[in-house]
Every structure is written in C-alpha cells, then in structure tokens.
Amino acid sequence: MIRGWHLAATGKRVALKTPAEKIAWLERRLNTGGLRLLEGEEGPWVRILQDTFLEVRRRKGEEEKGGLVQVQAVLFEGRLEVVDPEKARTTLEQGVGPGKALGLGLLSLAP
C-alpha cells in the first residue's frame, strides 16, 4: 500500500481525493525512482485495488501526544518499466513516499 497524500502550498500534507490525483502521485514517485508506468489505450496501465483511511496513534514527542491521526492508504496494481536500473533498485529497497514505518510505500514486483 502506498500512503496517498501530497504537500499543499502551505507545506501541510493533504489527502489525494480523486483516482487521477492518486495515479499522478504514483507516476511522479515512480519516475523519480527510475521506473515508469506503461501506457494502455486509456492511459497508464494501473488500477486502484484498495483505498482506505487508517487511524494510527501519533508517536511520542509530536504534538498532541498519543492522539489519533488518519492516514490514507492506497493499494495500486499495474505494469511498469525499469528506466534507470540503479535508481529502480534503490526505489525497491527504500520504497516510495512516506509511511514506510506503517508498512506503506512498499513495492512488490512480479515478472
């Protein structure tokens, strides 16, 4: 799953609302990471399998210690191409986006 939000002009993170916003976010992250979504007849070859909000407790030391925060988690499935093997390897090792401590932002590949 990938945590689906981006930074607004204010510097605060805001949820991505439409499927198009979520897919555009994924494309940006993959392109930065040496990967690219393949194109189909109707656009990128990707679909959203799951889109949900999770409630998690804030870590100690953050504002409102122990308070709940909502995290948007999106599960994508699609086809991609490796554009830059070195960057792609790093992306696979490190994941994409924030939320990796929650198990989000991870990539799984199959031939």
Side-chain angles (χ1 to χ4, degrees):
M1 282 199 222
I2 295 180
R3 192 173 188 167
W5 40 256
H6 68 283
L7 292 178
T10 62
K12 293 186 178 187
R13 292 180 172 155
V14 295
L16 301 170
K17 294 184 172 95
T18 68
E21 287 176 333
K22 294 167 190 165
I23 291 169
W25 176 89
L26 178 63
E27 284 185 296
R28 287 191 306 273
R29 293 299 180 135
L30 292 175
N31 289 340
T32 300
L35 303 159
R36 148 182 111 74
L37 284 174
L38 294 177
E39 290 286 325
E41 291 179 16
E42 298 178 17
W45 204 329
V46 64
R47 64 185 178 142
I48 295 173
L49 298 178
Q50 183 179 355
D51 188 353
T52 188
F53 282 91
L54 308 173
E55 285 191 345
V56 295
R57 291 222 176 267
R58 292 180 183 263
R59 294 182 306 224
K60 291 181 180 179
E62 293 184 12
E63 291 181 26
E64 302 174 35
K65 290 182 186 178
L68 291 177
V69 62
Q70 273 197 344
V71 177
Q72 185 179 13
V74 180
L75 177 62
F76 297 92
E77 179 181 66
R79 295 187 180 190
L80 52 82
E81 173 182 35
V82 173
V83 178
D84 182 329
E86 204 54 42
K87 281 185 180 179
R89 180 184 178 113
T90 301
T91 300
L92 287 172
E93 291 171 352
Q94 297 179 356
V96 295
K100 290 179 277 297
L102 301 172
L104 307 175
L106 308 174
L107 295 175
S108 298
L109 297 180

